[in-house]
Amino acid sequence: LTKQQVIFFNEVIDFVNVFTMLNTHTVERLVIYNRVLKGLAQKRSKWVTSKEIARKLSKTPAQVRRDLSILGRKGKPGVGYNIEVLINDLDGVLGRNRIWNVAIIGAGNLGKALFSYPGFKREGFKFKAIFDNAPDKVGKKWDSLVIKSSGEIERAVKKGGIDIAVITVPKNSAQGVAEALVKAGIKNILNFAPVMLDLPEDVRVRNTDLSLELENLSCFICNTK
Amino acid sequence: LTKQQVIFFNEVIDFVNVFTMLNTHTVERLVIYNRVLKGLAQKRSKWVTSKEIARKLSKTPAQVRRDLSILGRKGKPGVGYNIEVLINDLDGVLGRNRIWNVAIIGAGNLGKALFSYPGFKREGFKFKAIFDNAPDKVGKKWDSLVIKSSGEIERAVKKGGIDIAVITVPKNSAQGVAEALVKAGIKNILNFAPVMLDLPEDVRVRNTDLSLELENLSCFICNTK
DNA sequence: TAGATTGTTAATCGATTAACAATC
DNA sequence: TAGATTGTTAATCGATTAACAATC
C-alpha cells in the first residue's frame, strides 16, 4: 500500500466509525466530556485517564474509552489521553470548529437569556437575527441587532444564511412560527415551546423546555424516598 | 379474600409497578403523554387509542401501552383510553396534584424567564424565593417577591419549606451556591449552569443548560447529511 | 522490566417491539 | 357476532460493561 492509500483507508475508517457509533446517547456524553476536559485544561496538567473522566461523571471507564474511540486511537496505554488533543478532536466532531449562524424567534425573557448567554459566542454560535411580533419590541435593539417582525421571517432568513433557528415564543405561536421557518428553508430547529411541532421529516427538531425538566424531577421526588 | 384484602393487594401491585417500571426514559415519555393528552382534552372527544398517541409522538403503540400500564389497567379493549382518567392518573404519578415550592437562585434573564413562564403555576410549581448576589438586584421585587441576597440562602431556605431549588447563576458561582443549598437541607436541584456539580449522593440533581441542546444539534448537523 | 492504561471483544444487561389471547 | 384495541409475553434489538491482550 502506498502512503496515500493508507491515509485514504484511515479516513474511510474514521468516517464509518463516526457514522455507526454516533447515536444520541454518545453525542450527549461527548458534549459533556468536551466541557469537562476544557475545565481540566484550564487548571491542570496535560494528561487524563478514562478512569478520571469516568469518576467525574459517574460513568464507567469502559464507557468513556468506548465513546472516545470514535475519535480514533488517541490514548496512550499506561498513560491516558492528551487533554489538548482530545479537546481538539471533540471540537471537530461536535462542530465546534466553525461558526453557526442562529436566529432567535421570540424576544421574551428566554430569548434574551439565550442571547446574553456568555457560552454561546465561545462555542461558535452567533446570533444573526431576532424576530418577535409584539409591536413594542419590533425595531428595538439587542446589542447592535434590530428585532424584526415575525412577518419578515421568510424574507430575512432566506437571504441571511441562518443555520439554526431557536423558537422561544409562547406555546400557541410555536407551530405557526415553525412552519414559516421551514418555508424559508430552515432545516434545524431548537424548540423551547412546550408543544410537539408537526413538521416535515427532513427537518431536525430538538425539543427542550424549561418545565419538562422540573416535571421530571418532581416525578422522581414523588416516587422514590 | 375479603374486599379489603383485594383493595390492599391491588395497592401493593400498583406500588411495585411504579417502583420497578419508572425509569428515566419512561418518566420522560409520561410527561410528554400528559402534555399531549391535556392538549387533546381541550379540543376533542373522550377517548384516545395507543395508536393515536403513538403517531403524535413518533413512538410505537406497544410502547405507549406498556408505558401507560404502570397506571394499572386503564384501557378498554376495542375502545382505547378515557382521556380524562389518563390525565388524572398521570397527574398523580408525575406529582402534578400537589404544590411544589421552588426557589430560584440567580435573578438574571434565565431566572426571570423561569419566573414568568406561564406553565409553571398551572402545573403546581410555586416560586417562593429568589436569590442573587448583585447589590443592585437584592431588594428589588418580582411581582410581590423580594429578591434576597445569596448570603441568606441558608437561613431563608431552612424556614421556607422549599422543595426544589433551581440554579440559574453563572458557571463559576454554581458549585458554591449548590453547597449552600445542600447545607440548608435542599435535596432536589435543577441546575442550569453549565458545570457538573459535585454534591453528596443523596441530593438529586438534574442538569440542563441552554447550550447543551444547541451543541447536540450542531453535532448531528455536522455528521449527517 | 514492572506497572498502568488503552482499545476492543464477548458477555451482560436493559429497553423496545411484535404478536396474540383476552376483552370490550 | 365481527371488528377493534388492550395488556402482556417472549423475542429482538441496542447499549453498557467486564475482561484482557496489546502497548506505553
Side-chain angles (χ1 to χ4, degrees):
Chain A
L1 284 171
T2 68
K3 202 174 164 187
Q4 278 220 327
Q5 282 173 321
V6 171
I7 290 172
F8 176 73
F9 179 75
N10 283 334
E11 272 172 11
V12 170
I13 292 291
D14 283 358
F15 184 78
V16 171
N17 265 349
V18 169
F19 230 76
T20 54
M21 298 184 59
L22 220 54
N23 58 56
T24 324
H25 297 235
T26 310
V27 170
E28 276 169 10
R29 287 191 300 266
L30 291 178
V31 170
I32 305 279
Y33 297 160
N34 197 24
R35 181 175 287 179
V36 167
L37 289 166
K38 280 176 181 172
L40 238 51
Q42 287 184 334
K43 51 183 155 162
R44 268 233 320 170
S45 54
K46 278 185 67 174
W47 298 89
V48 68
T49 64
S50 59
K51 206 167 148 192
E52 289 176 80
I53 299 177
R55 186 156 29 82
K56 268 190 182 295
L57 304 175
S58 310
K59 312 276 173 197
T60 62
Q63 180 159 69
V64 172
R65 289 201 299 277
R66 177 162 258 259
D67 286 341
L68 292 179
S69 74
I70 75 152
L71 304 173
R73 305 168 130 268
K74 294 304 159 100
K76 257 198 178 40
V79 184
Y81 299 87
N82 181 303
I83 294 177
E84 209 177 316
V85 170
L86 231 43
I87 292 175
N88 260 328
D89 287 17
L90 281 171
D91 274 348
V93 172
L94 297 176
R96 296 279 68 71
N97 282 339
R98 48 160 290 191
I99 300 293
W100 298 91
N101 292 325
V102 180
I104 294 178
I105 299 88
N109 287 308
L110 181 56
K112 190 67 181 285
L114 283 158
F115 185 80
S116 30
Y117 196 79
F120 283 134
K121 271 149 225 164
R122 197 175 46 241
E123 299 298 338
F125 297 102
K126 211 165 173 179
F127 295 108
K128 298 286 274 192
I130 308 163
F131 300 94
D132 201 296
N133 58 8
D136 61 313
K137 282 181 184 156
V138 175
K140 293 251 168 67
K141 275 185 174 182
W142 283 359
D143 292 358
S144 61
L145 204 55
V146 180
I147 300 176
K148 290 193 186 122
S149 151
S150 298
E152 292 186 60
I153 286 178
E154 201 172 334
R155 187 150 34 99
V157 167
K158 265 185 179 157
K159 73 172 181 199
I162 299 292
D163 302 302
I164 303 174
V166 182
I167 297 180
T168 57
V169 301
K171 191 160 71 166
N172 293 328
S173 330
Q175 179 67 31
V177 155
E179 284 169 16
L181 288 165
V182 171
K183 227 171 168 183
I186 289 285
K187 293 273 181 248
N188 305 294
I189 293 177
L190 178 56
N191 175 38
F192 278 93
V195 279
M196 297 296 296
L197 299 175
D198 191 6
L199 296 176
E201 291 236 332
D202 65 325
V203 179
R204 236 181 307 255
V205 180
R206 260 190 95 89
N207 294 293
T208 12
D209 62 84
L210 304 183
S211 80
L212 220 50
E213 297 295 327
L214 211 41
E215 294 188 41
N216 264 287
L217 192 57
S218 71
C219 178
F220 280 106
I221 303 174
C222 259
N223 292 292
T224 58
K225 189 64 240 244
Chain B
L1 284 171
T2 68
K3 203 175 160 185
Q4 280 219 324
Q5 282 173 320
V6 170
I7 290 172
F8 177 72
F9 180 75
N10 283 333
E11 272 174 11
V12 170
I13 293 292
D14 283 0
F15 184 77
V16 171
N17 264 351
V18 168
F19 229 75
T20 54
M21 298 183 59
L22 219 56
N23 58 55
T24 325
H25 297 235
T26 310
V27 169
E28 275 169 11
R29 288 190 300 264
L30 291 178
V31 170
I32 304 279
Y33 297 160
N34 197 24
R35 181 176 286 179
V36 167
L37 289 165
K38 280 175 182 173
L40 240 50
Q42 286 184 334
K43 50 182 156 164
R44 269 232 318 170
S45 54
K46 279 185 65 174
W47 299 90
V48 68
T49 63
S50 59
K51 207 168 148 192
E52 288 177 80
I53 299 177
R55 187 156 28 84
K56 267 190 182 296
L57 303 175
S58 310
K59 312 277 173 196
T60 63
Q63 180 158 69
V64 173
R65 291 201 297 279
R66 177 161 258 258
D67 286 342
L68 293 179
S69 74
I70 73 150
L71 304 173
R73 303 168 130 268
K74 293 303 159 99
K76 256 197 179 43
V79 183
Y81 299 86
N82 180 304
I83 295 177
E84 212 175 312
V85 169
L86 231 44
I87 292 174
N88 261 327
D89 286 16
L90 281 171
D91 274 348
V93 172
L94 297 175
R96 297 278 70 69
N97 284 339
R98 49 160 288 190
I99 300 293
W100 297 91
N101 293 325
V102 180
I104 294 177
I105 299 86
N109 287 308
L110 182 55
K112 190 66 181 286
L114 283 158
F115 185 80
S116 31
Y117 196 78
F120 283 136
K121 274 151 223 163
R122 198 174 47 242
E123 300 296 339
F125 297 103
K126 212 163 172 179
F127 295 109
K128 299 286 276 192
I130 308 163
F131 300 94
D132 203 294
N133 57 8
D136 60 315
K137 282 181 185 157
V138 175
K140 291 252 169 66
K141 275 185 175 185
W142 284 358
D143 292 358
S144 60
L145 205 55
V146 180
I147 300 176
K148 290 191 185 124
S149 151
S150 298
E152 293 186 58
I153 287 180
E154 200 171 335
R155 187 149 35 98
V157 166
K158 264 187 181 157
K159 74 171 182 200
I162 299 295
D163 301 303
I164 303 172
V166 182
I167 297 180
T168 57
V169 300
K171 190 160 71 164
N172 292 331
S173 330
Q175 178 69 32
V177 156
E179 283 169 17
L181 288 165
V182 170
K183 227 170 167 184
I186 288 286
K187 292 274 180 247
N188 305 294
I189 293 177
L190 179 56
N191 175 37
F192 277 93
V195 277
M196 298 296 295
L197 299 176
D198 190 7
L199 297 176
E201 291 236 332
D202 66 326
V203 179
R204 236 181 307 256
V205 180
R206 259 189 95 87
N207 295 293
T208 12
D209 64 84
L210 303 183
S211 79
L212 221 48
E213 297 294 327
L214 211 43
E215 293 188 44
N216 265 286
L217 192 57
S218 72
C219 178
F220 280 107
I221 303 173
C222 260
N223 293 292
T224 58
K225 189 61 242 232

